Amino acid sequence: MKGYILKDMTWPEIEEALKTAKVAVVPIGAQEQHGRHLAEGCDSYRAEAFCALLAEKSYPHVVVAPTVNYGISPHHMDFPGTISLRPETLMAILEDVVSSLKQHGMKKFLFVNGHGANSSAIAVASEKLAREYDVEVAHTKFVDAAKGVIQEHIHSEHFGHACEREISESLYMAPHIVRKDLVEKSDMNTDTFAYKYMNNDFVKVVHQFKDTTHNGNLGDGRQGSFELGEKIIQTALDNLSTFIEDFAR
Amino acid sequence: MKGYILKDMTWPEIEEALKTAKVAVVPIGAQEQHGRHLAEGCDSYRAEAFCALLAEKSYPHVVVAPTVNYGISPHHMDFPGTISLRPETLMAILEDVVSSLKQHGMKKFLFVNGHGANSSAIAVASEKLAREYDVEVAHTKFVDAAKGVIQEHIHSEHFGHACEREISESLYMAPHIVRKDLVEKSDMNTDTFAYKYMNNDFVKVVHQFKDTTHNGNLGDGRQGSFELGEKIIQTALDNLSTFIEDFAR
Amino acid sequence: MKGYILKDMTWPEIEEALKTAKVAVVPIGAQEQHGRHLAEGCDSYRAEAFCALLAEKSYPHVVVAPTVNYGISPHHMDFPGTISLRPETLMAILEDVVSSLKQHGMKKFLFVNGHGANSSAIAVASEKLAREYDVEVAHTKFVDAAKGVIQEHIHSEHFGHACEREISESLYMAPHIVRKDLVEKSDMNTDTFAYKYMNNDFVKVVHQFKDTTHNGNLGDGRQGSFELGEKIIQTALDNLSTFIEDFAR
Amino acid sequence: MKGYILKDMTWPEIEEALKTAKVAVVPIGAQEQHGRHLAEGCDSYRAEAFCALLAEKSYPHVVVAPTVNYGISPHHMDFPGTISLRPETLMAILEDVVSSLKQHGMKKFLFVNGHGANSSAIAVASEKLAREYDVEVAHTKFVDAAKGVIQEHIHSEHFGHACEREISESLYMAPHIVRKDLVEKSDMNTDTFAYKYMNNDFVKVVHQFKDTTHNGNLGDGRQGSFELGEKIIQTALDNLSTFIEDFAR
Amino acid sequence: MKGYILKDMTWPEIEEALKTAKVAVVPIGAQEQHGRHLAEGCDSYRAEAFCALLAEKSYPHVVVAPTVNYGISPHHMDFPGTISLRPETLMAILEDVVSSLKQHGMKKFLFVNGHGANSSAIAVASEKLAREYDVEVAHTKFVDAAKGVIQEHIHSEHFGHACEREISESLYMAPHIVRKDLVEKSDMNTDTFAYKYMNNDFVKVVHQFKDTTHNGNLGDGRQGSFELGEKIIQTALDNLSTFIEDFAR
Amino acid sequence: MKGYILKDMTWPEIEEALKTAKVAVVPIGAQEQHGRHLAEGCDSYRAEAFCALLAEKSYPHVVVAPTVNYGISPHHMDFPGTISLRPETLMAILEDVVSSLKQHGMKKFLFVNGHGANSSAIAVASEKLAREYDVEVAHTKFVDAAKGVIQEHIHSEHFGHACEREISESLYMAPHIVRKDLVEKSDMNTDTFAYKYMNNDFVKVVHQFKDTTHNGNLGDGRQGSFELGEKIIQTALDNLSTFIEDFAR
């Protein structure tokens, strides 16, 4: 692969890369339960792999910072192994990344988020950092860049976590985290107040994930496939690399 | 009006109200430019008035805390008079309100937001406060509870700030803040990168409002009316009071 | 009224006002029990109304920021409905107001406090903000500007909260918050250590208000009147507008 | 001297003392210019010496914590040698002292302040610590306990810093910090806005000390004497030890 | 490999592992220049790989948390690509990891540090977290567990960063980050004050790395080898797994 | 003594001193149990006295700031009288000292630490302050500057706290804090995990001091003497004053 991955480069190599790279991409994941069929690093693995592909596709305009391996996951704490950052912690990490890379001349940042529950904190941080450090900041939950594909192929009522979408992406980008023999449908907890409002479009109710599902996953993982993962990821790559060309200008 | 507004009640009156009121509603506004045709307190006035109506409709299950008259508005700072809280400040206010009312026995909170740019910080605060204080927290940008009406009646490409929607709501709930003789269409700044991505559905770009509009408003205020305001507000009241009955249980 | 109230003005109106207005006035209140005869928003209502009068009297040299509807009231938490900010929160709000208005060219600030227990935090914030933001900051508990009138007309041993002074001011500026049929004398809790030291002039003892009074008010509200309120407020207005003319220069 | 000074005691001695000592006294000073005739540690020396006398007089009911040698002095920063804590720092120190001594069983605290500009931060800290740590907290600017003596003997229009009062106290408690051959009258800067409002009783204006005095001291140090110092200190000791007997109960 | 790596496990697998695993190991790295011959993720790669080996050796008593890919590197900021966390940020991450894993029943933590400049912050965090969360915390800069081997085989005057030791470890655990054709000796900046005191044993002087070396590395990388790496790592594994058996008890 | 001690100087004296003084020295102590034979202010007394000697020896190149009388001592909290700062508090104090003295023109700082457990926080603060305030910062645990003497004369297996070394230093610099008739050997708690790892050279285990010693002291105080104290202190003075001459240049 030819993309610029800062973790894998020496300082003279980075010095050279910074002559053409205009956008720093920061992959942000999570350590969080993903049902019985996906390893807990799922969001980190997907964000990291996606950014590597993006770096390749947008070469030589992008550098990728090291992956933030933790995210905001208090709603999953009832399942063993989940580790949750406070929002302040995640915002502090992003601030330090921006502050440091700005010292090396970088002025444009794209936070690439692999975990939905990170979004609000990333949005708050982006607004703050862009102004405090006088840089341009954009952020994306990267699968949002493949909404058309997703709407066409996924038909579960509730999906978006440890579902056919995430299994497909994982099969395409990080197959070792899929427990293929254990892939299953979600076992929703439909009697709860949390369940009733989990997808409400005008009011958000703070809840624990165990109040909406017993096994920790949404959707129907059995509908996932390498091919669907490929479609999602390639579409998202197309859209985000197009954005980057525009942003890098 | 018969709703419970804490600012207007004595402690024995509140003591009595707390016997039936199960949900504390917190109106959150902003001090922020709203074009040439709306006063800058628009979001505060609308949030406060809406909560008063909600208190009446959901009587006696709701108490309303004093209005937070400031919000998060860094993107409007180029227009005179805008005052912006840091996200941390707004989160601290909400924490203190929750912490205090919990001491009086309140266990359920609904943050009623009148200003879109507050949403991420309110979401972050809600997740934190629900768990730290062991209370139930929900939050709404209250006009989201009238999405159907809005989609039916508003046809501007860009709207949501100082537009026909906000003018309609203001005519219905706070007419003194509308400069009726100055109501105008937005004068968009269409040549900018900010404009191009302002409504993008997969990537959010931090920007200043003056980079997308010259006069500070979106949409076409001339399409606003008392009648549209009434429809929006009554629909939102119906939906949110229904939610509250469920939440208060 | 002709005073400049930022919440009620559009950005072009504010742009015009800032050509002559040199002092930004920030009303700071509280949500706090005020006995059986005054609504809990008493300090917010009085501070807001006083600042509006001051804006009128000092026109066109003053703009008024939106009211801070919450204050520091931990000593009243034993009475239902009281909401208390941490001092850090109030200081953060004031910082954000100063920081924002300075960006619009404002260089002089007067914090107008309606609630005694806010004073220490406001003093700490004033010292900090004046230096950090290179602006001039003054602060007043506004009734202190009518000390002469108060000493002449009020003779209760303990007063200053939900007493004849606050009732008089409320009758003059916000009569709807007075429960006229319930106005009463304080019912002091004279057996306590807190009572013994509540007015001590060399040592301050942290205490709860319920340890000094059973009904939550001091003094004798029955001695309050519209006329006394008018005298207090007009005297304070005279003194503070004179100060402002000096400060604005 | 027989008072309990924690800095000078071993742990078994302290263990014994804690059987009778009910109040922890914390001396708080400053490092701040005091004109040409007093060393900059004046407030620390006086607070420390006064607390030692108080410990002796209130023996065996009091223990004295180590002196906080720094205070809040931004208004003196124009004079060489002044060191100023942020208010947050002083509050953090007091919190750590209270938190630590509470673990040893101490439940009552008296902050003994030697420097006026510390008062607001100490007040804010006291309110917070009393409630957060469930302890009783009182605070005093110790010379306030000798107001009668001071009013009787001191006649300068402006005094309270590096004046006859502080010189008298220093001659009595810490004579080595007085430059006896350099004692002088204040050289006030009477043309300034700061000077005009320095003693105002209804509005406080943040200012720098150099804007009110050229040599850094108030009053007329030449009127100070060992005898006056003795009167002030002995009166303050009488009043505060009486308070302590009451508080310790 | 059979070690428990939380990132690679599902929640039911972790649930099972937590029945025997008593110590949570947290690998902490850095993104920091390592001369012309090592990639900047060197400390992260080494810490992560070492912890995986430790998990295998101490199986089934250890679980490994996701790697912290950033460290404290302000002294390397003059070299492109270095990203530095503030100490507060690193401490916050460690707090969140401890707080989260404690909720899953983990009571013993070992921070495994791959980067010397993280040590002070990790020490401060360890002391705090052990007491605040009532858990047992130990920390190690893991190569310290092979001091004997290092003293025997490394003879450069200055080493410890991008030197023969780190190259050896990398050749053994992460060979892809070594630029074998570029391995070189350090080019020390011997004329500086920083150089003179860089190894002083009684005073530490804050300095920038470029003030002590021109190419960014210490020692003589050409003396490094896979065999030396193996000796260092296997010795450190022996010592730390012995410690863990004792700690886990 | 002729050294510059800021606490004991007036502002004109300091103004004069700052013409030659290039290094500000900050003594940092602790309030912490030191066994049955040393008063708890031991580290503060030693740090303060040592800095006074250093100021004399390095005259006129050094000024000494007031002593920080508290340190970080959570591991001693089981013994009565110990008061512990949070690391954040100590770092804030040091920041305020640096920030203030920089305003008076000081650009070089030496933190002189009398208490080992302060070292990590001082190191973290030093790195931060040097860069944030663009000043030069060095720090020393001052007895480290006499390592040769100590290795030659002290033979206890465990020492460094309330031991023959600290008793010797105290006899030389602050004899009133030594309880000469109570000087004793440590009574180690040898059965604990904490004891086993207290001097380990590759892993640090957070522990309480009572888990390693019953009486609170290490070593054998009976081996201490004025003469040994003199040797340690004079050697440390020689080394540190030599450093200062170099640093001040």
Side-chain angles (χ1 to χ4, degrees), chain E residues 14-56:
Chain E
I14 294 172
E15 189 170 59
E16 187 63 26
L18 293 179
K19 292 177 184 167
T20 57
K22 298 301 168 210
V23 178
V25 164
V26 187
I28 307 169
Q31 168 69 15
E32 167 186 296
Q33 75 86 14
H34 273 73
R36 299 190 182 100
H37 48 221
L38 282 171
E40 298 209 351
C42 177
D43 297 344
S44 299
Y45 277 116
R46 289 186 303 106
E48 183 166 314
F50 183 82
C51 287
L53 293 170
L54 192 58
E56 196 178 6

Short mmCIF file of all heavy atoms in Angstrom, two decimals, chain E residues 14-56:
data_model
loop_
_atom_site.label_atom_id
_atom_site.label_comp_id
_atom_site.label_asym_id
_atom_site.label_seq_id
_atom_site.Cartn_x
_atom_site.Cartn_y
_atom_site.Cartn_z
N ILE E 14 -14.68 -12.81 26.61
CA ILE E 14 -14.10 -12.02 27.70
C ILE E 14 -14.72 -12.43 29.04
O ILE E 14 -14.04 -12.56 30.06
CB ILE E 14 -14.29 -10.52 27.43
CG1 ILE E 14 -13.47 -10.11 26.19
CG2 ILE E 14 -13.86 -9.69 28.65
CD1 ILE E 14 -13.72 -8.68 25.70
N GLU E 15 -16.00 -12.65 29.01
CA GLU E 15 -16.69 -13.09 30.24
C GLU E 15 -16.02 -14.35 30.79
O GLU E 15 -15.79 -14.48 32.00
CB GLU E 15 -18.16 -13.37 29.92
CG GLU E 15 -19.02 -13.61 31.13
CD GLU E 15 -20.50 -13.64 30.72
OE1 GLU E 15 -20.90 -14.48 29.89
OE2 GLU E 15 -21.26 -12.80 31.21
N GLU E 16 -15.70 -15.25 29.90
CA GLU E 16 -15.04 -16.49 30.30
C GLU E 16 -13.62 -16.20 30.82
O GLU E 16 -13.21 -16.71 31.86
CB GLU E 16 -14.98 -17.43 29.08
CG GLU E 16 -14.47 -18.82 29.38
CD GLU E 16 -15.36 -19.60 30.34
OE1 GLU E 16 -16.58 -19.31 30.42
OE2 GLU E 16 -14.82 -20.48 31.06
N ALA E 17 -12.90 -15.35 30.09
CA ALA E 17 -11.52 -15.04 30.46
C ALA E 17 -11.43 -14.40 31.84
O ALA E 17 -10.50 -14.64 32.61
CB ALA E 17 -10.89 -14.12 29.42
N LEU E 18 -12.43 -13.57 32.16
CA LEU E 18 -12.37 -12.84 33.43
C LEU E 18 -12.51 -13.76 34.63
O LEU E 18 -12.28 -13.36 35.77
CB LEU E 18 -13.44 -11.74 33.46
CG LEU E 18 -13.21 -10.60 32.46
CD1 LEU E 18 -14.34 -9.57 32.56
CD2 LEU E 18 -11.87 -9.91 32.70
N LYS E 19 -12.85 -15.01 34.39
CA LYS E 19 -12.91 -15.96 35.51
C LYS E 19 -11.52 -16.30 36.04
O LYS E 19 -11.37 -16.65 37.19
CB LYS E 19 -13.64 -17.23 35.06
CG LYS E 19 -15.12 -16.98 34.78
CD LYS E 19 -15.81 -18.23 34.26
CE LYS E 19 -17.27 -17.90 33.92
NZ LYS E 19 -17.89 -18.99 33.11
N THR E 20 -10.52 -16.21 35.17
CA THR E 20 -9.16 -16.53 35.63
C THR E 20 -8.21 -15.33 35.58
O THR E 20 -7.21 -15.31 36.29
CB THR E 20 -8.52 -17.63 34.75
OG1 THR E 20 -8.52 -17.18 33.39
CG2 THR E 20 -9.32 -18.93 34.87
N ALA E 21 -8.52 -14.36 34.74
CA ALA E 21 -7.59 -13.24 34.57
C ALA E 21 -7.73 -12.27 35.74
O ALA E 21 -8.83 -11.80 36.04
CB ALA E 21 -7.85 -12.52 33.26
N LYS E 22 -6.65 -11.99 36.41
CA LYS E 22 -6.68 -11.14 37.59
C LYS E 22 -5.98 -9.80 37.37
O LYS E 22 -6.11 -8.89 38.18
CB LYS E 22 -6.00 -11.86 38.77
CG LYS E 22 -6.70 -13.14 39.20
CD LYS E 22 -8.15 -12.87 39.60
CE LYS E 22 -8.97 -14.15 39.74
NZ LYS E 22 -10.38 -13.95 39.42
N VAL E 23 -5.18 -9.70 36.31
CA VAL E 23 -4.42 -8.48 36.07
C VAL E 23 -4.74 -7.95 34.67
O VAL E 23 -4.65 -8.70 33.69
CB VAL E 23 -2.90 -8.74 36.19
CG1 VAL E 23 -2.11 -7.47 35.89
CG2 VAL E 23 -2.55 -9.28 37.57
N ALA E 24 -5.10 -6.66 34.61
CA ALA E 24 -5.29 -6.02 33.30
C ALA E 24 -4.02 -5.27 32.95
O ALA E 24 -3.53 -4.46 33.74
CB ALA E 24 -6.47 -5.06 33.33
N VAL E 25 -3.49 -5.55 31.79
CA VAL E 25 -2.26 -4.94 31.32
C VAL E 25 -2.62 -3.90 30.26
O VAL E 25 -3.40 -4.18 29.36
CB VAL E 25 -1.34 -6.04 30.74
CG1 VAL E 25 -0.24 -5.44 29.90
CG2 VAL E 25 -0.78 -6.89 31.88
N VAL E 26 -2.05 -2.69 30.39
CA VAL E 26 -2.37 -1.63 29.44
C VAL E 26 -1.09 -1.18 28.73
O VAL E 26 -0.22 -0.56 29.35
CB VAL E 26 -3.01 -0.42 30.16
CG1 VAL E 26 -3.49 0.60 29.13
CG2 VAL E 26 -4.14 -0.85 31.08
N PRO E 27 -0.96 -1.48 27.43
CA PRO E 27 0.23 -1.04 26.69
C PRO E 27 0.13 0.44 26.33
O PRO E 27 -0.89 0.88 25.79
CB PRO E 27 0.21 -1.90 25.42
CG PRO E 27 -1.13 -2.54 25.36
CD PRO E 27 -1.89 -2.27 26.61
N ILE E 28 1.19 1.18 26.59
CA ILE E 28 1.20 2.62 26.36
C ILE E 28 2.40 2.96 25.48
O ILE E 28 3.54 2.67 25.85
CB ILE E 28 1.28 3.40 27.68
CG1 ILE E 28 0.17 2.93 28.63
CG2 ILE E 28 1.19 4.91 27.42
CD1 ILE E 28 0.33 3.43 30.05
N GLY E 29 2.15 3.56 24.34
CA GLY E 29 3.21 3.86 23.40
C GLY E 29 3.43 5.33 23.18
O GLY E 29 3.34 6.14 24.11
N ALA E 30 3.72 5.69 21.95
CA ALA E 30 3.96 7.09 21.57
C ALA E 30 3.93 7.18 20.05
O ALA E 30 4.11 6.16 19.36
CB ALA E 30 5.30 7.57 22.10
N GLN E 31 3.68 8.37 19.56
CA GLN E 31 3.88 8.67 18.13
C GLN E 31 4.97 9.72 18.11
O GLN E 31 4.71 10.88 18.44
CB GLN E 31 2.58 9.19 17.50
CG GLN E 31 2.76 9.79 16.11
CD GLN E 31 3.10 8.73 15.05
OE1 GLN E 31 2.94 7.53 15.27
NE2 GLN E 31 3.61 9.18 13.93
N GLU E 32 6.16 9.33 17.77
CA GLU E 32 7.31 10.18 18.04
C GLU E 32 8.48 9.80 17.15
O GLU E 32 8.76 8.61 16.95
CB GLU E 32 7.67 9.95 19.52
CG GLU E 32 8.98 10.46 19.97
CD GLU E 32 9.26 10.04 21.41
OE1 GLU E 32 8.52 10.45 22.32
OE2 GLU E 32 10.23 9.28 21.62
N GLN E 33 9.17 10.80 16.68
CA GLN E 33 10.31 10.54 15.82
C GLN E 33 11.31 9.58 16.48
O GLN E 33 11.56 9.67 17.67
CB GLN E 33 11.00 11.86 15.46
CG GLN E 33 11.85 12.49 16.56
CD GLN E 33 13.26 11.97 16.61
OE1 GLN E 33 13.74 11.31 15.68
NE2 GLN E 33 13.93 12.27 17.72
N HIS E 34 11.83 8.65 15.68
CA HIS E 34 12.83 7.70 16.16
C HIS E 34 14.00 7.64 15.18
O HIS E 34 14.44 6.56 14.76
CB HIS E 34 12.21 6.31 16.31
CG HIS E 34 11.57 6.09 17.66
ND1 HIS E 34 10.38 6.69 18.01
CD2 HIS E 34 11.96 5.37 18.76
CE1 HIS E 34 10.06 6.32 19.26
NE2 HIS E 34 10.99 5.52 19.73
N GLY E 35 14.47 8.83 14.81
CA GLY E 35 15.60 8.88 13.90
C GLY E 35 15.20 8.49 12.49
O GLY E 35 14.02 8.37 12.16
N ARG E 36 16.23 8.30 11.67
CA ARG E 36 15.97 7.96 10.28
C ARG E 36 15.74 6.47 10.08
O ARG E 36 15.41 6.03 8.98
CB ARG E 36 17.17 8.39 9.41
CG ARG E 36 17.45 9.87 9.44
CD ARG E 36 18.47 10.27 8.38
NE ARG E 36 18.75 11.69 8.46
CZ ARG E 36 19.83 12.22 9.05
NH1 ARG E 36 20.74 11.44 9.59
NH2 ARG E 36 20.00 13.53 9.09
N HIS E 37 15.93 5.69 11.14
CA HIS E 37 15.90 4.24 10.93
C HIS E 37 14.75 3.49 11.60
O HIS E 37 14.66 2.28 11.46
CB HIS E 37 17.25 3.61 11.34
CG HIS E 37 17.76 4.05 12.67
ND1 HIS E 37 19.09 4.33 12.89
CD2 HIS E 37 17.14 4.26 13.84
CE1 HIS E 37 19.26 4.67 14.16
NE2 HIS E 37 18.11 4.63 14.74
N LEU E 38 13.90 4.21 12.33
CA LEU E 38 12.75 3.53 12.95
C LEU E 38 11.48 4.34 12.70
O LEU E 38 11.50 5.58 12.77
CB LEU E 38 12.96 3.39 14.46
CG LEU E 38 13.89 2.28 14.96
CD1 LEU E 38 14.15 2.44 16.46
CD2 LEU E 38 13.28 0.89 14.69
N ALA E 39 10.38 3.68 12.45
CA ALA E 39 9.11 4.38 12.23
C ALA E 39 8.64 4.99 13.55
O ALA E 39 8.99 4.54 14.64
CB ALA E 39 8.07 3.41 11.68
N GLU E 40 7.80 6.01 13.43
CA GLU E 40 7.43 6.79 14.61
C GLU E 40 6.52 6.05 15.59
O GLU E 40 6.41 6.42 16.75
CB GLU E 40 6.80 8.12 14.17
CG GLU E 40 7.80 8.97 13.37
CD GLU E 40 7.57 10.46 13.49
OE1 GLU E 40 6.55 10.90 14.05
OE2 GLU E 40 8.45 11.22 13.02
N GLY E 41 5.88 4.98 15.13
CA GLY E 41 5.05 4.19 16.04
C GLY E 41 5.85 3.20 16.86
O GLY E 41 5.28 2.36 17.57
N CYS E 42 7.17 3.31 16.81
CA CYS E 42 8.06 2.33 17.46
C CYS E 42 7.63 1.96 18.89
O CYS E 42 7.52 0.79 19.22
CB CYS E 42 9.49 2.90 17.47
SG CYS E 42 10.69 1.86 18.33
N ASP E 43 7.37 2.97 19.73
CA ASP E 43 7.04 2.68 21.13
C ASP E 43 5.69 1.99 21.26
O ASP E 43 5.49 1.15 22.14
CB ASP E 43 7.07 3.96 21.96
CG ASP E 43 8.46 4.59 21.98
OD1 ASP E 43 9.44 3.90 21.64
OD2 ASP E 43 8.57 5.77 22.35
N SER E 44 4.75 2.36 20.40
CA SER E 44 3.44 1.70 20.42
C SER E 44 3.55 0.26 19.94
O SER E 44 3.01 -0.66 20.56
CB SER E 44 2.45 2.45 19.52
OG SER E 44 2.25 3.77 19.98
N TYR E 45 4.27 0.07 18.86
CA TYR E 45 4.44 -1.30 18.34
C TYR E 45 5.12 -2.20 19.37
O TYR E 45 4.71 -3.33 19.59
CB TYR E 45 5.26 -1.28 17.05
CG TYR E 45 4.44 -0.96 15.81
CD1 TYR E 45 4.70 0.19 15.07
CD2 TYR E 45 3.42 -1.81 15.38
CE1 TYR E 45 3.96 0.48 13.92
CE2 TYR E 45 2.68 -1.52 14.24
CZ TYR E 45 2.95 -0.38 13.51
OH TYR E 45 2.21 -0.10 12.39
N ARG E 46 6.19 -1.69 19.97
CA ARG E 46 6.91 -2.51 20.95
C ARG E 46 6.05 -2.82 22.17
O ARG E 46 6.02 -3.94 22.67
CB ARG E 46 8.22 -1.85 21.34
CG ARG E 46 9.27 -1.87 20.21
CD ARG E 46 10.61 -1.33 20.68
NE ARG E 46 10.49 0.02 21.21
CZ ARG E 46 10.54 0.37 22.48
NH1 ARG E 46 10.78 -0.56 23.40
NH2 ARG E 46 10.39 1.62 22.85
N ALA E 47 5.35 -1.78 22.68
CA ALA E 47 4.51 -2.01 23.87
C ALA E 47 3.41 -3.02 23.57
O ALA E 47 3.13 -3.92 24.37
CB ALA E 47 3.92 -0.69 24.37
N GLU E 48 2.79 -2.86 22.41
CA GLU E 48 1.69 -3.77 22.05
C GLU E 48 2.18 -5.21 21.88
O GLU E 48 1.58 -6.15 22.40
CB GLU E 48 1.03 -3.27 20.77
CG GLU E 48 -0.18 -4.09 20.34
CD GLU E 48 -1.01 -3.38 19.27
OE1 GLU E 48 -1.29 -2.16 19.42
OE2 GLU E 48 -1.39 -4.03 18.30
N ALA E 49 3.29 -5.34 21.16
CA ALA E 49 3.81 -6.69 20.92
C ALA E 49 4.29 -7.33 22.22
O ALA E 49 4.05 -8.52 22.47
CB ALA E 49 4.96 -6.62 19.91
N PHE E 50 4.94 -6.53 23.05
CA PHE E 50 5.42 -7.08 24.33
C PHE E 50 4.24 -7.56 25.18
O PHE E 50 4.30 -8.62 25.80
CB PHE E 50 6.24 -6.03 25.08
CG PHE E 50 6.81 -6.56 26.35
CD1 PHE E 50 7.99 -7.30 26.32
CD2 PHE E 50 6.18 -6.36 27.57
CE1 PHE E 50 8.53 -7.83 27.49
CE2 PHE E 50 6.71 -6.89 28.74
CZ PHE E 50 7.88 -7.61 28.70
N CYS E 51 3.19 -6.78 25.23
CA CYS E 51 2.03 -7.17 26.05
C CYS E 51 1.37 -8.44 25.51
O CYS E 51 0.87 -9.26 26.28
CB CYS E 51 1.02 -6.03 26.13
SG CYS E 51 1.60 -4.69 27.20
N ALA E 52 1.38 -8.58 24.19
CA ALA E 52 0.81 -9.81 23.62
C ALA E 52 1.63 -11.02 24.07
O ALA E 52 1.09 -12.06 24.45
CB ALA E 52 0.78 -9.71 22.10
N LEU E 53 2.96 -10.87 24.07
CA LEU E 53 3.83 -11.97 24.53
C LEU E 53 3.61 -12.24 26.02
O LEU E 53 3.58 -13.39 26.47
CB LEU E 53 5.30 -11.60 24.27
CG LEU E 53 5.70 -11.51 22.80
CD1 LEU E 53 7.11 -10.90 22.66
CD2 LEU E 53 5.66 -12.90 22.13
N LEU E 54 3.45 -11.15 26.77
CA LEU E 54 3.23 -11.30 28.21
C LEU E 54 1.90 -12.00 28.48
O LEU E 54 1.79 -12.84 29.39
CB LEU E 54 3.25 -9.90 28.84
CG LEU E 54 3.32 -9.79 30.36
CD1 LEU E 54 4.55 -10.50 30.92
CD2 LEU E 54 3.35 -8.32 30.78
N ALA E 55 0.88 -11.64 27.69
CA ALA E 55 -0.43 -12.28 27.87
C ALA E 55 -0.33 -13.78 27.63
O ALA E 55 -0.97 -14.58 28.31
CB ALA E 55 -1.44 -11.65 26.91
N GLU E 56 0.49 -14.13 26.64
CA GLU E 56 0.67 -15.54 26.33
C GLU E 56 1.41 -16.24 27.47
O GLU E 56 1.01 -17.30 27.94
CB GLU E 56 1.48 -15.64 25.03
CG GLU E 56 1.40 -17.00 24.38
CD GLU E 56 2.18 -17.02 23.06
OE1 GLU E 56 2.86 -16.01 22.74
OE2 GLU E 56 2.12 -18.04 22.38
#
